[in-house]
Amino acid sequence: MQTRELSLVGKLDNGLTKGLCLLLSWLKTASLWWLGLLTLASLPLLIFEYGEGLADISPMEWGFMPLLALLLWRHVRYCRHFTTGIWRGLNRLLICQGIMSALGLLLVGLLTAVMVQTDHLQELLSYLKQDDPISKFVSFGSVLLAAYLAAPTAGITTLSMPKATPIRVEPTVTPAAKEASL
């Protein structure tokens, strides 16, 4: 069945659609990347919030830092093992951190929308201003989960190479086989 070629207007429309989809994809990736970078950059501010040095670190933060270092070491080792490369590995890490941060922001936004409907917004705002261990535990846990999930699981060559189709081989028939079939 033959397909007709698009008219000039159709080609322009198709090109515009492809260009806008590419732009939106790039904006999505860049936004997640920057959100992940901001999340990792804000960790020292979250840990050393009072400016008192090592005396400022709580036991939960003392447990968080070696776990994050181990997960980052694991991430680098898997990037080396699967020959992912440093930039692709960093890209995976920052995008995973950005996705977890976006999910956290979505959860806070949904909770705020519910609290606005029930006229308990001031209670929510006062709760968010407090320094409670549950919110720190959730934020540190989401950073650790994103670092765990960001590690590559397969090499790039195995993901991008198409599988080879088997070549059909004709069987060879020997003269003895011909005589036996008669």
Side-chain angles (χ1 to χ4, degrees), residues 114-123:
V114 168
M115 291 298 188
V116 165
Q117 298 296 325
T118 60
D119 296 329
H120 295 294
L121 184 61
Q122 291 300 326
E123 293 174 15

Side-chain angles (χ1 to χ4, degrees), residues 38-95:
L38 288 174
T39 300
L40 290 179
S42 68
L43 283 177
L45 297 175
L46 188 62
I47 292 173
F48 299 106
E49 58 195 339
Y50 299 115
E52 296 178 10
L54 292 178
D56 188 24
I57 301 175
S58 70
M60 180 174 37
E61 293 162 343
W62 276 111
F64 167 75
M65 288 189 294
L67 282 175
L68 182 63
L70 285 173
L71 286 173
L72 292 176
W73 175 80
R74 173 186 173 266
H75 182 81
V76 169
R77 294 286 295 177
Y78 280 5
C79 286
R80 285 183 184 164
H81 177 73
F82 292 116
T83 61
T84 302
I86 188 71
W87 295 113
R88 282 188 190 256
L90 182 64
N91 185 39
R92 285 179 63 101
L93 181 66
L94 292 177
I95 285 180

Side-chain angles (χ1 to χ4, degrees), residues 5 15 19 24-25 33 50 70 79 95 114 132 141 155 158 172 178:
E5 190 173 319
L24 287 176
S25 173
W33 201 86
Y50 299 115
L70 285 173
C79 286
I95 285 180
V114 168
D132 64 332
T158 60
T172 58
K178 282 184 182 178

Side-chain angles (χ1 to χ4, degrees), residues 23-37 91 94-95:
L23 178 68
L24 287 176
S25 173
W26 185 84
L27 283 174
K28 175 196 72 159
T29 303
S31 299
L32 289 175
W33 201 86
W34 281 106
L35 189 58
L37 184 64
N91 185 39
L94 292 177
I95 285 180

Side-chain angles (χ1 to χ4, degrees), residues 113-143:
V114 168
M115 291 298 188
V116 165
Q117 298 296 325
T118 60
D119 296 329
H120 295 294
L121 184 61
Q122 291 300 326
E123 293 174 15
L124 175 68
L125 292 176
S126 65
Y127 177 73
L128 290 176
K129 288 179 186 176
Q130 294 176 2
D131 187 28
D132 64 332
I134 293 173
S135 65
K136 268 193 165 181
F137 183 74
V138 169
S139 63
F140 287 154
S142 67
V143 168

